């Protein structure tokens, strides 16, 4: 089952995953139209360079056109099987509550098979409405595969690295798509202006790239409405030109759709025909970003746009260009522009240039989505993530990543200057990502969908064999440009893996150095300190126990606030957590200690504390918890590792979830409970103390930790922690910025932890 986002109205009020039967037709069609400008720009501009790159090697044309027919047959069946059958009809059905991409599949598997590398996961998280783990009958295949991964932690780590590889290759698409699309389009001007130097073509391409990345901060929603008409005009143009070329040059070109011509091509050309497949695979560049961009729109809207417009238009375009080539062998390196009728050349060239710029949007949007997910899942250093639309929740913009992508795009464009070399590099990145998706999808079929092993194996063999064939051809192009995506991917993988490794080691340190509850209880209600008016929020990574930074703080400053709250902000393996399910409140220790725990849960697509009045919501939660305490049965109780009683009654509370109804002041907090006062029931003493403490102010206590490798650690750990992780920690956004903590109320506790 899949539950994509639907109506704009429901999205505006924080309900991003309504079922399809509640979506209005107009909303779906509107999203389908917008998706053309964001999702399909990359895929629709492939005809600019597919034939050119395919015939860039030693593959030559003969008079009987066998090579052209063979390449066309490969393009058609690859496009149909991979793009249409695999992605549109199968993979998109495995969306994670409307989210797509490699990490979405991984998240889906983590919820069903406990593969997660995220710390602090609790059983109560499985009760979230979006968790979506249905109690279906377990098959022996599903049970066996889950048991295998649960028993072998090394294979869980290996799966994470495999997922990171696919993720990093998708980020590589965000570098190569703008470079190859824009340069291919602009190069067409040299057909009419033959004396134009290559340097001018590169310069014009760079100017267009700078302009494209400069408008990203306006958001996908505005960009989509601007770009959708361009892609629509482009698709209709190339479809019309394709029909013209078929009628004008070779009406029998449809015979080339027979798979027999694929066999003939490989039989006749041998090794050169096989290597040329590295160019054929460029016809499906953009299918992975199409899946990754799913969260920006909805599954149904993306499927409608592809099936009824994108697919037929691109098939006609490839047929028409092949028909032209069958009569003009000498124009193979500029066949796309040479195939355009003279009367419409300049209008089509202008549309092509704009479409190439638009084509880059799909990869850029996908990169933003992926980096956002990686940050939430502790696989990427924290960067600024901005939601650009109040209506479509998944649309984000990341300034730092935007300018890094621009720099890399300019470097590739200026450094290579050759679309053939870019194509070789691009093809390797695309095929790697597709194969990773196929493997993850096979696991989803067994573990999530409970399909028979025969069905999953058929899927893996059919699509995996096709992708491995293309991957093998692309690997031979490593010396001719294929090394670039490998270098980029390895660099991003190193950053992601080391960051994840450092975060896990820090969590292990926190668990090992918790303050004993026996020690806390022995100090009495005052905790052996002066309890001053106010509320103290101690941020920690732990969902149970007393963090080490608290002990470190009171050792150096033996005074603390009247009300003490341990706050844990964590990410769970779902895209979004509804506001009414976000906060868990519990008590730590006896009532007279006035110590509480607050666990704030976010999905991997949520942005913590954005437009979120956290202080007042927290106070409201505490008051509501205290008032309801003892009147409701505990959902569960929690004890620390020492089995000392730590009363942690978890209580989910409901507050208005629409931003315009957010609690804004202490007065409004009190008004929430005015009904109780009007009926003669007053707030209890502890609730009064909390409200008075709120009047005195709230202080935020955060740990400012420094990681160091132990002297006994191996060389990898020392380099990873002391060099790479330390550098990343110093240069990424701090916890206080991420959580939007007011600096006037911030106290940082410095600590060194050894891992």
């Amino acid at each position: 089952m899949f539950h994509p986002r639907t109506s704009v109205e429901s999205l505006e009020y924080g309900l991003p995953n309504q079922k399809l039967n509640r979506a209005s037709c107009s909303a779906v069609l509107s999203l389908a139209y917008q998706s053309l400008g964001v999702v399909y720009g990359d895929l629709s501009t492939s005809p600019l360079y597919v034939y050119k790159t395919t015939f860039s090697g030693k593959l030559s044309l003969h008079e009987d056109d066998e090579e052209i027919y063979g390449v066309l047959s490969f393009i058609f069946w690859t496009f149909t099987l991979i793009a249409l059958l695999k992605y549109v009809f199968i993979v998109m059905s495995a969306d994670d509550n409307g989210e797509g991409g490699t990490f979405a599949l991984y998240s889906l598997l983590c919820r069903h098979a406990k593969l997660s590398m995220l710390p602090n996961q609790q059983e109560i998280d499985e009760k979230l409405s979006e968790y979506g783990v249905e109690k279906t009958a377990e098959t022996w295949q599903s049970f066996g595969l889950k048991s295998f991964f649960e028993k072998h932690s090394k294979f869980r780590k290996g799966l994470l690295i495999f997922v990171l590889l696919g993720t990093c290759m998708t980020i590589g698409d965000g570098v190569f798509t703008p470079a190859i699309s824009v340069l291919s389009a602009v190069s067409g001007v040299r057909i009419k202006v033959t004396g134009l130097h290559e340097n001018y073509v590169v310069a014009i391409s760079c100017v267009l790239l700078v302009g494209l990345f400069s408008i990203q901060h306006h958001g996908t929603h505005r960009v989509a409405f601007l770009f959708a008409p361009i892609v629509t005009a482009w698709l209709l143009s190339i479809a019309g030109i394709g029909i013209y070329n078929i009628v004008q040059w070779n009406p029998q070109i449809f015979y080339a759709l027979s798979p027999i011509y694929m066999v003939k091509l490989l039989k006749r050309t041998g090794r050169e025909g096989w290597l040329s497949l590295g160019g054929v695979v460029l016809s499906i560049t953009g299918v992975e970003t199409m899946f990754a961009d799913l969260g920006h729109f909805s599954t149904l809207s993306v499927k409608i746009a592809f099936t009824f417009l994108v697919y037929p238009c691109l098939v006609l375009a490839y047929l028409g260009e092949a028909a032209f080539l069958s009569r003009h062998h000498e124009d193979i390196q500029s066949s796309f522009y040479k195939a355009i009728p003279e009367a419409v050349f300049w209008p089509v060239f202008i549309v092509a240039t704009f479409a190439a710029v638009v084509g880059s949007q799909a990869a850029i949007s996908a990169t933003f989505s992926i980096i956002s997910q990686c940050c939430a899942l502790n696989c990427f250093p924290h960067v600024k993530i901005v939601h650009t639309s109040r209506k479509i929740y998944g649309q984000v913009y990341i300034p730092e990543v935007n300018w890094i992508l621009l720099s890399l795009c300019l470097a590739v464009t200026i450094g290579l200057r050759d679309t053939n070399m870019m194509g070789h590099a691009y093809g390797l990145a695309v095929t790697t990502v597709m194969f990773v998706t196929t493997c993850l999808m096979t696991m989803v079929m067994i573990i999530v969908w409970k399909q028979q092993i025969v069905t999953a194996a058929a899927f893996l063999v059919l699509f995996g064999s096709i992708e491995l064939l293309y991957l093998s051809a692309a690997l031979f192009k490593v010396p001719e440009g294929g090394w670039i995506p490998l270098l980029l991917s390895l660099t991003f993988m190193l950053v992601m893996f080391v960051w994840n490794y450092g975060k896990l080691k820090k969590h292990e340190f926190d668990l090992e150095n918790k303050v004993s509850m026996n020690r806390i209880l022995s100090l009495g209600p005052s905790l052996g300190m002066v309890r001053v008016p106010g509320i103290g929020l101690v941020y920690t990574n732990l969902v149970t126990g007393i963090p080490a930074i608290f002990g470190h703080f009171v050792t150096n400053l033996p005074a603390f606030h009247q009300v003490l709250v341990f706050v844990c902000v964590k990410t769970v393996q779902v895209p979004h957590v509804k506001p009414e399910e976000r906060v868990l409140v519990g008590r730590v220790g006896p009532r007279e200690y006035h110590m509480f725990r607050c666990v704030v849960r976010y999905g991997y697509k949520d942005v913590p504390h954005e437009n979120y009045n956290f202080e007042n919501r927290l106070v409201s939660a505490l008051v509501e918890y205290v008032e309801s305490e003892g009147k409701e049965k505990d959902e569960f109780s929690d004890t620390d590792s020492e089995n000392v009683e730590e009363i942690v009654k978890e209580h989910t509370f409901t507050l208005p979830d629409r931003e315009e109804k957010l609690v804004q002041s202490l007065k409004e907090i009190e008004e929430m409970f005015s009904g109780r006062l009007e009926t003669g029931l007053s707030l209890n003493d502890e609730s009064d103390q909390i409200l008075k403490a709120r009047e005195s102010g709230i202080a935020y206590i955060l740990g400012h930790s420094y990681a160091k490798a132990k002297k006994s650690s191996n060389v990898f750990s020392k380099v990873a922690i002391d060099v790479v992780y330390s550098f990343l920690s110093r240069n990424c956004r701090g916890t206080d910025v991420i959580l939007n903590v007011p600096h006037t109320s911030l106290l940082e506790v410095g600590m060194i932890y050894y891992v």
Side-chain angles (χ1 to χ4, degrees):
M1 295 293 292
F2 54 93
H3 308 286
R5 285 174 183 73
T6 53
S7 68
V8 171
E9 292 79 7
S10 65
L11 295 172
E12 184 173 4
Y13 296 115
L15 301 174
N17 296 297
Q18 303 295 321
K19 293 184 178 180
L20 288 176
N21 57 8
R22 298 179 62 185
S24 66
C25 182
S26 60
V28 172
L29 292 178
S30 175
L31 288 175
Y33 175 71
Q34 290 181 53
S35 70
L36 292 172
V38 175
V39 176
Y40 293 114
D42 183 7
L43 192 63
S44 65
T45 53
S46 296
L48 286 169
Y49 45 78
V50 169
Y51 283 106
K52 180 177 183 293
T53 307
T54 303
F55 289 99
S56 63
K58 297 179 181 179
L59 187 65
S60 57
L61 299 178
H62 294 85
E63 291 300 323
D64 55 7
D65 299 326
E66 290 285 338
E67 289 77 12
I68 295 175
Y69 282 26
V71 169
L72 174 60
S73 185
F74 264 110
I75 291 173
F76 173 77
W77 287 108
T78 301
F79 194 60
T80 301
L81 291 175
I82 301 296
L84 184 64
L85 180 59
K86 175 190 166 183
Y87 276 91
V88 173
F89 290 128
I90 300 177
V91 174
M92 283 191 183
S93 298
D95 66 301
D96 185 13
N97 289 288
E99 297 295 332
T102 308
F103 257 112
L105 291 178
Y106 179 64
S107 174
L108 203 59
L109 289 169
C110 287
R111 294 208 302 274
H112 287 78
K114 297 181 180 178
L115 303 176
S116 175
M117 303 298 289
L118 279 176
N120 287 332
Q121 300 304 295
Q122 301 167 285
E123 287 187 11
I124 196 172
D125 297 336
E126 298 178 13
K127 297 180 181 180
L128 291 168
S129 58
E130 287 198 10
Y131 207 84
V133 179
E134 298 178 1
K135 301 296 183 181
T136 55
E138 193 78 79
T139 63
W140 68 267
Q141 299 99 326
S142 174
F143 178 78
L145 191 57
K146 288 196 289 189
S147 300
F148 175 78
F149 278 102
E150 289 172 6
K151 290 178 182 177
H152 300 88
S153 61
K154 290 184 178 179
F155 285 95
R156 291 201 300 272
K157 291 179 182 178
L159 179 63
L160 176 63
I161 293 173
F162 188 61
V163 170
L164 291 180
L165 173 63
T167 301
C168 293
M169 285 293 186
T170 306
I171 295 173
D173 286 354
V175 176
F176 288 102
T177 299
I180 192 172
S181 298
V182 174
L183 189 59
S184 297
V186 176
S187 297
V189 74
R190 300 182 70 186
I191 293 176
K192 295 297 182 182
V193 187
T194 54
L196 188 66
H197 195 275
E198 180 188 34
N199 290 342
Y200 291 105
V201 174
V202 173
I204 295 171
S205 301
C206 290
V207 170
L208 291 174
L209 288 172
V210 171
L212 172 66
F213 282 95
S214 297
I215 65 172
Q216 291 302 314
H217 67 279
H218 291 295
T220 309
H221 182 65
R222 294 183 179 88
V223 169
F225 267 115
L226 177 66
F227 286 172
I230 297 173
V231 175
T232 304
W234 166 252
L235 287 170
L236 295 177
S237 297
I238 59 176
I241 293 170
I243 295 172
Y244 168 82
N245 284 321
I246 292 170
V247 174
Q248 179 71 19
W249 303 111
N250 190 353
Q252 285 76 39
I253 195 66
F254 290 99
Y255 293 125
L257 300 183
S258 170
I260 296 174
Y261 285 99
M262 293 190 290
V263 179
K264 287 183 177 180
L265 174 68
L266 296 178
K267 218 171 177 184
R268 180 168 180 171
T269 59
R271 183 175 182 272
E272 292 305 323
W274 166 58
L275 291 178
S276 70
L277 297 181
V280 172
V281 77
L282 297 180
S283 62
I284 51 174
T285 57
V287 291
E288 189 63 38
T289 53
M290 174 178 70
F291 182 44
D293 281 331
L294 204 57
H296 290 250
F297 302 98
S298 72
T299 304
L300 181 60
S301 63
V302 172
K303 286 184 175 183
I304 289 174
F306 182 86
T307 307
F308 294 102
L309 182 62
V310 178
Y311 178 79
C313 287
L314 287 176
V315 168
L316 287 172
Y318 287 121
L319 283 167
E321 192 170 348
F324 175 83
L325 272 175
S326 66
R327 299 293 182 266
H328 303 84
H329 291 185
E330 69 281 359
D331 293 327
I332 186 61
Q333 284 302 301
S334 55
S335 59
F336 178 81
Y337 282 109
K338 287 292 183 70
I340 300 174
E342 187 71 25
V344 295
F345 177 86
W346 285 112
V348 172
F349 170 77
I350 294 172
V351 174
T353 303
F354 280 113
V357 174
V358 173
S360 310
Q361 185 62 45
I364 296 170
S365 299
T367 303
F368 290 159
S369 295
I370 288 170
I371 294 294
S372 174
Q373 294 175 22
C374 290
C375 288
L377 297 173
N378 285 340
C379 288
F380 199 83
H382 297 295
V383 291
K384 183 178 182 180
I385 300 173
V386 181
H387 275 164
T388 56
S389 173
R390 292 189 64 229
K391 295 184 177 181
I392 313 298
Y393 196 77
Q395 297 182 357
V396 295
Y397 166 69
I398 306 176
E400 295 95 331
V401 174
N402 186 62
W403 303 121
I404 290 173
L405 285 179
L406 172 60
S407 301
L408 292 173
C409 281
L410 293 177
V412 168
T413 304
I414 296 171
L416 294 182
R417 296 172 173 247
D418 183 5
T419 55
N420 290 332
M421 289 188 68
M422 290 182 189
H424 299 152
Y426 197 11
L428 179 60
V430 169
T431 50
T432 303
V433 177
M434 290 191 301
F435 182 69
V436 170
T437 299
T438 297
C439 294
L440 292 177
M441 192 64 212
T442 303
M443 294 180 63
V444 168
M445 285 182 163
I446 297 174
I447 294 175
V448 182
W449 291 354
K450 305 294 191 296
Q451 294 293 318
Q452 295 297 318
I453 193 72
V454 176
T455 305
F459 176 85
L460 179 63
V461 170
L462 173 61
F463 297 110
S465 59
I466 296 173
E467 288 155 2
L468 284 176
L469 176 66
Y470 286 124
L471 183 59
S472 63
L475 284 172
F476 270 83
K477 301 292 186 179
V478 168
E480 302 175 26
W483 60 271
I484 300 176
L486 286 178
L487 180 62
L488 284 175
S489 297
L490 289 175
T491 302
F492 277 108
M493 274 189 67
L494 175 66
V495 170
M496 290 182 175
F497 185 78
V498 169
W499 185 260
N500 181 263
Y501 176 78
K503 283 289 187 180
L504 290 177
K505 287 296 182 182
K506 183 180 184 300
H507 181 69
E508 291 175 7
F509 176 86
D510 290 338
L511 286 175
E512 294 171 359
N513 292 273
K514 291 193 295 185
V515 178
S516 168
M517 273 299 298
N518 281 328
R519 178 186 170 191
I520 296 295
L521 294 174
S522 66
L523 296 175
S526 68
L527 301 179
M529 302 178 292
V530 177
R531 300 294 289 268
V532 298
I535 299 176
L537 305 182
V538 180
Y539 279 82
T540 172
N541 293 321
L542 304 177
V543 293
T544 61
I546 309 299
I549 61 167
F550 179 69
H552 190 64
F553 178 86
V554 298
T555 300
N556 293 276
L557 185 64
F560 210 80
H561 298 83
Q562 178 184 2
V563 178
L564 173 60
V565 184
F566 297 104
V567 181
C568 175
V569 180
K570 70 173 188 176
T571 301
V572 291
Q573 292 280 1
V574 295
H576 305 284
V577 176
K578 293 181 179 179
E580 61 266 26
E581 298 177 323
R582 179 154 291 151
V583 177
L584 299 174
V585 177
R587 188 184 292 280
V588 179
R591 181 188 296 266
E592 60 268 19
Y593 282 57
H594 302 306
M595 295 196 303
F596 300 90
R597 184 180 310 285
C598 175
V599 179
V600 187
R601 302 177 293 182
Y602 288 95
Y604 60 78
K605 293 289 286 183
D606 290 328
V607 177
H609 293 2
E610 186 177 87
N611 299 323
Y612 191 77
N613 196 324
F614 178 71
E615 289 184 3
N616 289 333
R617 283 208 167 196
L618 176 61
V619 173
S620 300
L622 291 176
V623 172
E624 184 174 340
Y625 171 76
V626 170
E627 290 297 311
S628 63
E629 191 176 23
K631 298 178 182 178
E632 298 178 358
K633 286 188 176 182
D634 297 344
E635 213 166 275
F636 74 94
S637 61
D638 186 29
T639 59
D640 71 356
S641 58
E642 299 171 32
N643 294 320
V644 178
E645 184 179 5
E646 176 190 351
I647 306 170
V648 186
K649 293 188 289 186
E650 304 295 342
H651 174 72
T652 57
F653 72 96
T654 302
L655 284 177
D657 60 338
R658 300 187 181 184
E659 297 298 339
E660 62 267 24
K661 293 184 181 178
L662 281 178
V663 179
Q664 296 296 330
S665 66
L666 179 61
K667 182 179 178 181
E668 291 179 1
I669 293 174
E670 293 171 334
E671 287 176 355
M672 290 180 64
F673 302 97
S674 59
R676 177 188 293 271
L677 299 175
E678 290 172 0
T679 57
L681 296 175
S682 62
L683 298 177
N684 64 40
D685 292 340
E686 191 173 16
S687 297
D688 285 334
Q689 288 181 11
I690 292 173
L691 293 176
K692 290 177 181 177
R694 172 67 180 89
E695 288 182 327
S696 299
I698 294 180
Y700 295 78
I701 294 86
L702 272 65
H704 194 87
S705 53
Y706 301 89
K708 284 188 176 295
K710 297 176 182 176
K711 291 183 179 180
S712 58
S713 301
N714 55 41
V715 176
F716 170 79
S717 295
K718 289 181 179 179
V719 174
I721 297 298
D722 293 342
V723 180
V724 182
Y725 184 79
S726 178
F727 173 80
L728 295 174
S729 298
R730 290 195 306 268
N731 291 279
C732 70
R733 289 167 68 85
T735 307
D736 56 327
V737 179
I738 298 168
L739 300 176
N740 198 24
V741 174
H743 285 267
T744 54
S745 306
L746 174 63
L747 290 173
E748 290 189 304
V749 182
M751 287 191 67
I752 297 177
Y753 64 94
Y754 294 90
V755 297

